[in-house]
Amino acid sequence: MSTTVPTPTPVRSNGPDEAGRFGDFGGRFMPEALMAALDELTAAWQDAMSDATFTDEFHRMLREYAGVPSRLYDATKLSEVAGARILLKREDLNHTGAHKIRNVLGQALLTKRMGKTRVIAETGAGQHGVATATAAAYLGLDCTVYMGEVDTQRQALNVARMQLLGAEVIPVTSGARTLKDAINEAIRDWVSSVEHTAYCFGTAAGPHPFPAMVRDFCRSIGDEAREQTLELTGALPDAVLACVGGGSNAIGIFTAFLDDEGVDLLGLEPGGDGVDTPRHAATIHAGQVGVLHGARTYVLQDEDGQTVESHSISAGLDYPGVGPQHAHLADIGRATYRPVTDTEAMDAMALLSRTEGIIPAIESAHAIAGALQLAAERPGSTLLVNLSGRGDKDMGTAIEWFGLGQTTPEGTPEQADQEQIAEGAK
Amino acid sequence: MSTARAFAAARAEGRAALVGYLPAGFPDVEGAVEAIGVMVEHGCDVIEIGLPYSDPVMDGPTIQAAAQQALEAGARTTDVFRTVEKIAGLGVPTVVMTYWNPVERYGVERFAADLASAGGAGLITPDLTPDSGEAWIAAADAHDLDKVFLVAPSSTEARLAYTTDACRGFVYATAVMGVTGARATSSDLAEPLVTRTRSVTDLPVGVGLGVSDGAQAAEVASYADGVIVGSAFVRALLDAPDRRTGLDRLATLTADLAAGVRRG
C-alpha cells in the first residue's frame, strides 16, 4: 500500500461557482458583519491550497500526527453475513478516533497562516469539539467550543477531553440546546471576535467557503480509499456509502468518485424513530429547500420556515440541515440518500462489534446499516463504507439501548442481554 | 408609506428619528399590538416589527427569549401581517425585520405583496445582503417597498457603496461587532461607520447599538439620522411582573428615548 497521501486539489469541476453555489444550493446568507471575514477566509483558503508550503505541511501533519492514510479493511466476516464484499475505510483509527481530525488540522493550520490566535467551534457529539481542541493544542491556539446543553450531558466524557486539552467548553442553553443552537452561538461569538478568531466549522455546510473548504480538507479520505480499493480488488467499488448529518465524512469520501459514473454514491441519513414520525433528522429525504446557517439547502422546517427540531440517537447526525453539495448531488441524481432508523443503526453497531471486533460510532453504524440493506439488494457487489469514527464515545447510549453493564453475582453477563444483542446482530 | 418620510420629518425638526423594535406575537399577538401602540403614542417615529424565528443568529438573549416566547404562544407569519396592518393604520411607517428563511418559505413575491397590502413600508434583512437578495430586490421594487440592508464596522468601502446602493428608505448601521442587546456604554465604532456610510449615500443612516436610555439616545442622535432601539423595549416587557406594569414602563422608556433624540 502506498504510504504517501494523495495531494488534494480543489475540485473545480464539481463546484462551487465564484459565489459558492452548487447548482441551486449553497451561497452565502450571512450578516454583513461577517462578509469581510468570509471574503478573507475564502481568499486565504484558495491561496493556501495552491501553495505547496501549506499543502506539504498539512500532509505532514496528517501523516505524522493524525496517522493517515487510514487503513482499508476487508471485512470478510461482516461480508459473509451481508452477502456482499464490504470494505471499511478505517477513519476510526485516526488520532481522536474520527475523520474530523483532517478537517480541523486543515482549518487550524489556515488560522495560523492568517495570523489569528483563537479558534471557536460548535460540536454535537463532541467529536468535532475534541478534534478542534486537539488541533488547537497541537498548533498553540486558544480554543472555545460551543456545545448544546443536552449534548454536554449525553457526551460528558468528550467535555472532559476538551477541557483536558485546554479548551473552554460553553454549554448552550438557547433554543433546542443541541447542535444547531451551538452553531448559532458560535456565529454570535464570531461576529464579535472576528479580528483574532477563526471559526473552525465542523461539517461541509454553512456559508461559502465552508462547504468547499471542509470538503477539500476531508477529500483525502476518498483519494486514499480509491487508490486502496484499486490496489486491493483491482477495480473500483460498486458503491460508496457514508452517513450524512452535515455531510463532511460523506463528501470527503464521495469526492474522489464523483467522476466515476459506474460507482454509486449512497448517503445514509439519520431516520430516528422513522421518517413517518416527527422524530428524525433525514433532511434530504424529508426536508424542503430553505436557508439555514448561511446556505441554501434542504432544511427540516415547518410551513412558516421555522426550523423543526431534529432527532437522532446519534448526536453527531442530529442536525436539521445538510451540506449544500449533498443537496445538489441529490438534486442532479449523482448521489442518493436514504434514511436509517435508530434501531437499524444500533443493530448494525452490535453486528460489526460481534463479527469484526470493531465498535463503530453510532454515526458510522448508519453507514453499516445502509451497506447491509444494499448488500441484500445487490448480492456479490463490492461496497466501500466510510467507517467515520469509533464508538467509545457512544458507550453510554449503547449501555442504555442494549441494557449492558449489568453483571450477575457470579460476574457473568446476563443471559438476556446477550440474547438481545445477538438478536440485533442478525 | 416609505420610512424615508419619517426620517425627513425628523430632520426637518433638526433631530434624529426614534426607531422602535418589538417582535410580533410577544407576549402574544394582541399584546404586541397594544405594546407597539404605546411606543407609537410616546414618540417612536418608525416601527420595526420582528418576525419571530427559531434561529436568530444576530440577536442576543433578550430578543431571542421574546421570539421564543412568541413562537411558543403560536405566532405565525400571517400574524406579522396582521400586526403590521394595525400599526401602519396608526399612521407610522412600519417595517418588518426578518431572517430570510421565513420569507423564502412564504414565497418572496407573495410576502412582498402581502406586506404591501398590509400597509408595511418594507423589510430589514439581517442575514440577507444584496449579493443574495436578487429575488427580494425585484419583489420590493415591484411592490414599492423599502429595502433596508445592514452595514457593519467591518464592511469595506466597496461593500458600503454596494450595499447602500441597493437600499431604499434608510441604511441600518450595526455599530457593534456583535449581537443585539442593551449595553452600558456606546461603541466607538458607531460614529466612524456613520461617517463612512454618509460618504457613499444620501440615505438616512439609522444606528443600532444597544441604546437603553435617553442619554445614550442623545449621544447617538448627535451623529446619526436614526436611533434604533430593540432590546431595551423587549426587556421592559420581559422584566415586568405583569402586563400593565410592562406597558407603563414601555411608555416611560419611550418618552425618555424620544426626549433623548431631541437633545442629540
Side-chain angles (χ1 to χ4, degrees):
Chain A
M1 199 187 95
S2 161
T3 52
T4 57
V5 182
T7 302
T9 49
V11 201
R12 293 287 163 242
S13 61
N14 296 304
D17 66 12
E18 284 294 300
R21 285 182 299 240
F22 299 91
D24 296 335
F25 300 96
R28 199 185 268 177
F29 295 80
M30 286 302 263
E32 172 63 22
L34 289 173
M35 285 296 167
L38 290 165
D39 281 339
E40 177 196 26
L41 180 64
T42 305
W45 156 65
Q46 286 172 341
D47 180 61
M49 292 311 270
S50 57
D51 178 352
T53 317
F54 178 86
T55 53
D56 289 353
E57 176 61 6
F58 177 48
H59 293 131
R60 186 197 63 76
M61 292 191 323
L62 286 180
R63 203 171 48 244
E64 295 176 12
Y65 181 67
V68 311
S70 61
R71 304 298 302 248
L72 183 75
Y73 175 70
D74 200 349
T76 52
K77 292 169 290 298
L78 180 68
S79 300
E80 209 168 305
V81 176
R85 187 176 188 183
I86 296 177
L87 309 175
L88 300 177
K89 179 60 175 162
R90 296 289 308 274
E91 289 295 289
D92 61 313
L93 297 177
N94 297 348
H95 182 43
T96 72
H99 75 284
K100 290 182 177 292
I101 190 74
R102 300 178 189 252
N103 172 38
V104 295
L105 285 175
Q107 288 196 54
L109 189 63
L110 188 59
T111 301
K112 294 273 280 196
R113 182 183 169 99
M114 292 168 76
K116 295 183 193 265
T117 56
R118 174 177 177 255
V119 286
I120 51 173
E122 82 297 337
T123 195
Q127 286 297 98
H128 173 60
V130 169
T132 305
T134 302
Y138 178 65
L139 288 168
L141 296 162
D142 293 332
C143 179
T144 301
V145 178
Y146 290 93
M147 190 169 186
E149 193 183 35
V150 171
D151 293 328
T152 59
Q153 290 153 2
R154 351 187 225 199
Q155 303 285 353
L157 197 57
N158 273 339
V159 174
R161 282 195 184 99
M162 289 183 262
Q163 290 168 331
L164 190 59
L165 289 159
E168 177 189 24
V169 181
I170 300 183
V172 174
T173 54
S174 59
R177 297 174 296 141
T178 57
L179 177 62
K180 80 172 175 71
D181 307 288
I183 294 174
N184 294 339
E185 216 51 58
I187 291 172
R188 289 174 180 146
D189 179 316
W190 199 31
V191 173
S192 335
S193 63
V194 69
E195 270 177 39
H196 55 81
T197 297
Y199 184 0
C200 184
F201 198 60
T203 191
H208 180 59
F210 288 108
M213 183 173 78
V214 173
R215 175 199 64 201
D216 282 0
F217 289 144
C218 290
R219 68 160 299 176
S220 46
I221 303 170
D223 293 333
E224 292 162 22
R226 193 173 183 280
E227 193 179 307
Q228 291 164 327
T229 305
L230 283 169
E231 201 167 307
L232 180 71
T233 69
L236 290 172
D238 295 300
V240 180
L241 297 88
C243 65
V244 177
S248 64
N249 91 84
I251 206 70
I253 199 165
F254 286 177
T255 296
F257 298 93
L258 284 175
D259 297 330
D260 299 318
E261 284 178 20
V263 179
D264 292 338
L265 305 175
L266 180 59
L268 288 311
E269 294 197 291
D273 290 352
V275 288
D276 52 346
T277 76
R279 283 170 50 83
H280 64 79
T283 311
I284 293 176
H285 184 86
Q288 286 88 22
V289 176
V291 170
L292 180 67
H293 295 138
R296 175 170 286 119
T297 184
Y298 287 104
V299 182
L300 293 177
Q301 53 182 318
D302 69 12
E303 52 189 15
D304 276 354
Q306 306 290 346
T307 312
V308 169
E309 280 178 34
S310 55
H311 160 80
S312 169
I313 191 161
S314 151
L317 299 180
D318 193 350
Y319 180 55
V322 65
Q325 192 171 1
H326 287 295
H328 175 60
L329 291 173
D331 206 40
I332 61 173
R334 178 60 192 100
T336 47
Y337 297 82
R338 282 187 194 179
V340 165
T341 64
D342 287 353
T343 303
E344 289 166 336
M346 294 308 285
D347 287 350
M349 183 189 198
L351 179 66
L352 185 64
S353 302
R354 290 304 177 94
T355 53
E356 298 284 358
I358 297 170
I359 300 176
I362 300 173
E363 289 87 346
S364 320
H366 283 73
I368 300 292
L372 296 172
Q373 290 172 12
L374 196 60
E377 293 161 28
R378 299 167 63 175
S381 56
T382 301
L383 310 179
L384 169 64
V385 179
N386 198 12
L387 195 72
S388 54
R390 65 176 182 233
D392 310 39
K393 68 181 177 66
D394 292 317
M395 285 317 295
T397 308
I399 285 166
E400 210 169 308
W401 182 273
F402 295 118
L404 308 172
Q406 303 298 314
T407 56
T408 58
E410 291 75 38
T412 54
E414 289 280 4
Q415 200 58 35
D417 299 341
Q418 294 294 318
E419 279 166 11
Q420 191 192 343
I421 297 169
E423 201 57 41
K426 278 173 191 158
Chain B
M1 190 188 346
S2 169
T3 51
R5 221 177 63 176
F7 282 96
R11 188 174 289 179
E13 291 177 25
R15 64 174 181 91
L18 176 62
V19 182
Y21 167 97
L22 213 61
F26 167 74
D28 52 43
V29 177
E30 292 316 314
V33 170
E34 192 179 5
I36 297 168
V38 168
M39 288 159 61
V40 173
E41 187 189 340
H42 290 84
C44 279
D45 303 293
V46 173
I47 290 295
E48 287 178 20
I49 294 171
L51 192 155
Y53 178 53
S54 54
D55 294 270
V57 294
M58 282 298 283
D59 289 307
T62 304
I63 289 176
Q64 183 169 17
Q68 189 75 29
Q69 203 172 309
L71 288 171
E72 281 163 12
R76 304 286 312 269
T77 301
T78 46
D79 293 324
V80 176
F81 296 124
R82 281 172 46 209
T83 308
V84 168
E85 196 159 25
K86 291 198 165 139
I87 302 306
L90 303 173
V92 63
T94 305
V95 287
V96 170
M97 184 162 187
T98 180
Y99 291 89
W100 186 242
N101 196 49
V103 180
E104 192 149 297
R105 189 82 176 106
Y106 194 86
V108 181
E109 165 60 28
R110 182 175 157 230
F111 196 103
D114 288 359
L115 180 62
S117 62
L123 278 189
I124 300 170
T125 51
D127 64 344
L128 185 80
T129 56
D131 324 55
S132 307
E134 200 180 327
W136 160 238
I137 289 168
D141 292 346
H143 292 279
D144 193 28
L145 293 167
D146 285 353
K147 298 156 291 186
V148 183
F149 292 106
L150 279 64
V151 293
S154 58
S155 302
T156 58
E157 303 309 315
R159 284 201 65 84
L160 279 182
Y162 171 72
T163 303
T164 55
D165 211 35
C167 287
R168 196 194 93 171
F170 68 103
V171 180
Y172 191 126
T174 46
V176 179
M177 286 302 286
V179 298
T180 59
R183 284 175 178 76
T185 55
S186 282
S187 154
D188 54 9
L189 298 170
E191 194 168 357
L193 175 60
V194 172
T195 307
R196 288 170 60 221
T197 308
R198 282 207 180 122
S199 71
V200 294
T201 183
D202 294 331
L203 286 169
V205 183
V207 171
L209 184 62
V211 163
S212 55
D213 62 35
Q216 290 172 348
E219 189 194 333
V220 174
S222 68
Y223 57 79
D225 304 299
V227 180
I228 301 168
V229 181
S231 298
F233 288 127
V234 172
R235 173 67 48 209
L237 293 177
L238 272 177
D239 289 350
D242 57 68
R243 207 168 277 203
R244 188 65 260 161
T245 312
L247 293 173
D248 289 346
R249 289 180 185 176
L250 206 57
T252 309
L253 173 64
T254 312
D256 181 35
L257 293 164
V261 298
R262 284 162 174 79
R263 288 200 301 272

